[in-house]
Amino acid sequence: MKKNDRLQNAFWHASGIYRHFRGTRTSQWPQQPPLRKKTATTTSFLFFVVFFLFVAASILLGWFRSSIFTGVAIAIAPQRQVSTTTKWPTKPEFDLECTTGNVTQSCPSNYPTTHNPINPDRPSCPSYFRWIHEDLRHWKETGITRDMVERARKTAHFRLVIINGKAYMEKYKQSFQTRDVFTLWGILQLLRLYPARLPDLELMFDCNDRPVIRARNFRGPNRGAPPLFGYCSDGSSLDIVFPDWSFWGWAEINIKPWSNVLKDIEEGNKRTKWKDRVPYAYWKGNPTVAQIRRDLLKCNVSDKVDWNARLYVQHWNKESKQKFKHSKLEDQCTHRYKIYVEGWAWSVSEKYILACDSMTLLVRPHYFDFFSRGMVPLQHYWPISDNKKCTSLKFAVEWGNNFTEKAEGIGEAASSFIREDLKMDYVYDYMFHLLNEYAKLLKFKPTIPSGGAELCSEKLACSTDGNWRKFMEESMVKSPSDTIPCSMPPPYDPPALKNFIDNKIKLTKQVEAWENEYWKNKNKNQNN
């Protein structure tokens, strides 16, 4: 039906209403009486004409909205309107398939074995992905032989083999708590996210805190360092850093998978605006694991001195008995400043602290994880001296309370970095690119170890309960990704890498200079 026909139909529909109220049966359009006869009939007629136009406009408006917003032209009829709705196919999901009874748990065969993304978009990876090239640079010229891999077994907790998109594991020793289990769980989710995209590979993984492959032992002609994956490294080691187990949950201390924690912290941030938060530096943790943390406690407020720090000891055994009700991470975003300090090595607490919108006061670290090398002083955090922590904290808080907009901006930049560049999509993409680049270096054909067993999500999750089962279900990838991994950035060229590192050193020294000037003037005023 054409637009003019609809318009005429609408007016005739309105005319029928008019005739109904007038009690007529004529098929002719009502004629308006001469204007000079200003009677009650004329007034009634004008009223009904306006009413007819209103009805017609309403009908036409309904047609217009239907055509624009649904893409379906709806014919106007006196009695009814017919509309259609397009139904898109839902994306299939694959939940755990746990067997019952005494039957040995097997791996399901119905999960997709190919990856066919429907979204062509391929965003660029965050800049910290460039460090993948640096972590593998030692083996770029020589490649990785089977002998090198075997020599990494000395401290490894398990060997991981991926062949034809399936994972196999050979376990050597028990890790602390369930670090190995949740690390393997994360790798299995990667295989579900990007089925059949990873090449065959074989690697050794160490679940302890500190790196063990010392670079000084593998220089010159003796360059064949064993490639060993772990959670952190330092400037004098060659350990290959990998996302830690807590991204999929830390069941022993009731920390949820990263995606859920991030949502909770975002909600916690909304409760108190930055300027309304407590204007001191906050830290809560276990001081017994490292001397640097025990030293930090000396900066706590006392009757004699106030270093602008509010420090609290975390008693995990006590918290466990109280079901961790005082350890919710989203409840710890109440201060303008939060302190990050390492423990026995790097600490998983770093990402939770940076996500809090508070300006992070980062005590100079010795270790690094996979993402922290992408952060910059005065942009994402405020550097704190490791050998004069109290005076450094005092100055940092004084500076922030005097330059509130800048301090708030540093906190917001850090939390934005964590929300955007460290979301689980990029954690998986980092794992994918790291394993893919590693596999390119292998000079041998990976094989299933004699003592190895095929792994799948069911074999890890179905036999567990409590937080272990809950967190695995919450972090489980149920369908292949609609997109391919992000676009891997190129490696740093030597001058660019040097400039990046030099700039971080320069900014840290700038803060030290401000701090020294502050205390120099303060002491001078006190002496006068």
Side-chain angles (χ1 to χ4, degrees):
M1 184 180 291
K2 296 180 180 179
K3 182 175 180 181
N4 289 338
D5 294 333
R6 292 191 184 96
L7 185 61
Q8 186 179 22
N9 192 20
F11 276 107
W12 276 110
H13 180 59
S15 178
I17 297 174
Y18 169 77
R19 289 193 300 273
H20 172 75
F21 281 98
R22 294 288 293 170
T24 64
R25 297 293 180 182
T26 179
S27 60
Q28 296 180 353
W29 186 258
Q31 298 298 316
Q32 182 178 358
L35 292 176
R36 65 178 179 271
K37 296 181 180 180
K38 296 182 179 180
T39 62
T41 302
T42 302
T43 303
S44 299
F45 177 77
L46 290 173
F47 170 78
F48 282 112
V49 169
V50 173
F51 178 76
F52 302 156
L53 294 173
F54 174 78
V55 172
S58 298
I59 294 172
L60 288 173
L61 181 60
W63 166 80
F64 178 78
R65 286 177 175 171
S66 178
S67 300
I68 293 297
F69 293 105
T70 67
V72 180
I74 302 176
I76 300 176
Q79 294 182 347
R80 66 173 182 171
Q81 295 179 349
V82 179
S83 63
T84 60
T85 303
T86 302
K87 293 184 178 180
W88 298 99
T90 57
K91 186 178 180 180
E93 292 188 348
F94 300 86
D95 294 312
L96 286 173
E97 295 185 10
C98 297
T99 56
T100 58
N102 297 324
V103 180
T104 302
Q105 180 65 54
S106 60
C107 295
S109 59
N110 62 336
Y111 197 84
T113 56
T114 58
H115 184 220
N116 301 304
I118 60 175
N119 189 344
D121 292 340
R122 191 186 190 194
S124 298
C125 301
S127 61
Y128 65 83
F129 278 56
R130 303 179 78 174
W131 288 96
I132 290 175
H133 302 290
E134 301 307 314
D135 288 346
L136 298 176
R137 187 175 296 279
H138 177 83
W139 299 275
K140 184 178 180 179
E141 295 181 4
T142 63
I144 297 173
T145 65
R146 175 168 291 282
D147 176 66
M148 293 178 186
V149 173
E150 292 299 333
R151 284 191 284 112
R153 178 175 175 172
K154 183 177 180 181
T155 63
H157 288 83
F158 62 83
R159 179 201 304 264
L160 172 73
V161 178
I162 296 176
I163 295 180
N164 296 327
K166 294 183 178 181
Y168 303 85
M169 186 268 293
E170 184 178 31
K171 187 173 181 177
Y172 301 130
K173 57 184 177 181
Q174 181 62 42
S175 72
F176 177 66
Q177 296 179 340
T178 50
R179 293 183 178 190
D180 55 348
V181 173
F182 275 86
T183 299
L184 288 165
W185 174 262
I187 295 171
L188 292 175
Q189 303 321 298
L190 173 66
L191 296 179
R192 290 171 68 91
L193 189 67
Y194 298 125
R197 277 202 174 270
L198 275 175
D200 293 354
L201 59 89
E202 190 169 338
L203 61 83
M204 296 288 185
F205 205 105
D206 188 321
C207 298
N208 287 332
D209 286 325
R210 290 183 171 178
V212 295
I213 307 300
R214 302 303 176 201
R216 64 174 180 267
N217 298 330
F218 304 98
R219 294 172 179 169
N222 186 28
R223 288 184 56 81
L228 182 65
F229 285 70
Y231 304 126
C232 76
S233 190
D234 58 26
S236 60
S237 302
L238 297 174
D239 299 61
I240 303 169
V241 291
F242 195 84
D244 70 82
W245 73 95
S246 67
F247 282 95
W248 298 273
W250 192 348
E252 287 83 359
I253 59 174
N254 198 43
I255 292 181
K256 302 175 186 177
W258 175 233
S259 292
N260 294 344
V261 171
L262 198 53
K263 293 177 183 176
D264 291 342
I265 292 179
E266 286 185 48
E267 290 301 314
N269 285 339
K270 296 176 183 178
R271 296 175 194 168
T272 310
K273 294 181 180 180
W274 188 89
K275 291 182 179 179
D276 296 330
R277 296 184 181 187
V278 181
Y280 295 104
Y282 173 94
W283 179 81
K284 185 176 184 179
N286 179 10
T288 64
V289 296
Q291 184 61 46
I292 192 170
R293 290 191 174 185
R294 291 191 289 271
D295 291 340
L296 177 66
L297 289 182
K298 298 175 183 178
C299 304
N300 214 347
V301 62
S302 67
D303 295 336
K304 297 180 180 179
V305 64
D306 187 353
W307 297 109
N308 289 338
R310 302 296 183 262
L311 315 175
Y312 304 90
V313 175
Q314 178 76 7
H315 300 284
W316 285 115
N317 290 335
K318 181 180 178 181
E319 280 298 296
S320 177
K321 295 176 182 178
Q322 296 179 355
K323 298 183 178 180
F324 304 98
K325 64 181 180 180
H326 300 299
S327 300
K328 295 181 179 180
L329 296 170
E330 64 270 25
D331 294 340
Q332 298 181 21
C333 300
T334 56
H335 292 63
R336 291 183 179 180
Y337 315 94
K338 291 197 69 175
I339 302 169
Y340 169 74
V341 60
E342 294 178 332
W344 179 244
W346 116 107
S347 172
V348 299
S349 65
E350 184 175 26
K351 57 183 176 289
Y352 309 126
I353 291 171
L354 289 163
C356 231
D357 274 358
S358 304
M359 186 172 83
T360 298
L361 308 183
L362 195 145
V363 180
R364 183 177 297 154
H366 181 72
Y367 304 93
F368 55 79
D369 56 22
F370 75 100
F371 70 87
S372 59
R373 288 172 289 182
M375 299 190 305
V376 178
L378 299 186
Q379 179 181 343
H380 301 106
Y381 64 89
W382 183 278
I384 298 295
S385 173
D386 57 343
N387 56 19
K388 48 179 181 177
K389 289 179 282 294
C390 298
T391 56
S392 192
L393 288 170
K394 175 81 171 178
F395 170 70
V397 173
E398 291 284 346
W399 182 91
N401 288 337
N402 281 290
F403 299 94
T404 54
E405 291 186 1
K406 293 181 179 179
E408 183 179 6
I410 294 173
E412 290 177 350
S415 61
S416 177
F417 171 85
I418 295 298
R419 286 193 309 270
E420 300 301 325
D421 290 356
L422 199 63
K423 56 187 177 181
M424 278 307 298
D425 290 346
Y426 284 138
V427 174
Y428 282 124
D429 283 2
Y430 188 95
M431 295 162 61
F432 174 85
H433 284 301
L434 174 59
L435 294 177
N436 189 59
E437 295 298 320
Y438 169 82
K440 293 177 182 179
L441 299 172
L442 297 182
K443 298 295 184 182
F444 63 94
K445 182 177 178 59
T447 57
I448 301 173
S450 58
E454 182 184 355
L455 282 184
C456 60
S457 297
E458 282 74 10
K459 286 192 175 182
L460 287 187
C462 291
S463 61
T464 62
D465 56 15
N467 277 346
W468 290 262
R469 175 67 172 269
K470 178 184 177 184
F471 292 166
M472 286 181 179
E473 290 182 347
E474 289 178 357
S475 61
M476 184 175 179
V477 172
K478 296 184 178 182
S479 300
S481 172
D482 288 336
T483 64
I484 58 178
C486 61
S487 179
M488 180 71 167
Y492 284 106
D493 59 69
L497 180 59
K498 183 178 184 302
N499 288 339
F500 180 77
I501 295 173
D502 287 348
N503 184 55
K504 294 178 72 169
I505 294 173
K506 177 181 177 181
L507 292 171
T508 299
K509 289 184 175 181
Q510 176 65 73
V511 172
E512 292 176 351
W514 291 341
E515 182 180 325
N516 291 335
E517 184 68 18
Y518 168 83
W519 286 108
K520 180 179 178 181
N521 292 335
K522 193 174 184 67
N523 293 333
K524 182 178 179 180
N525 292 335
Q526 287 178 347
N527 293 332
N528 292 336

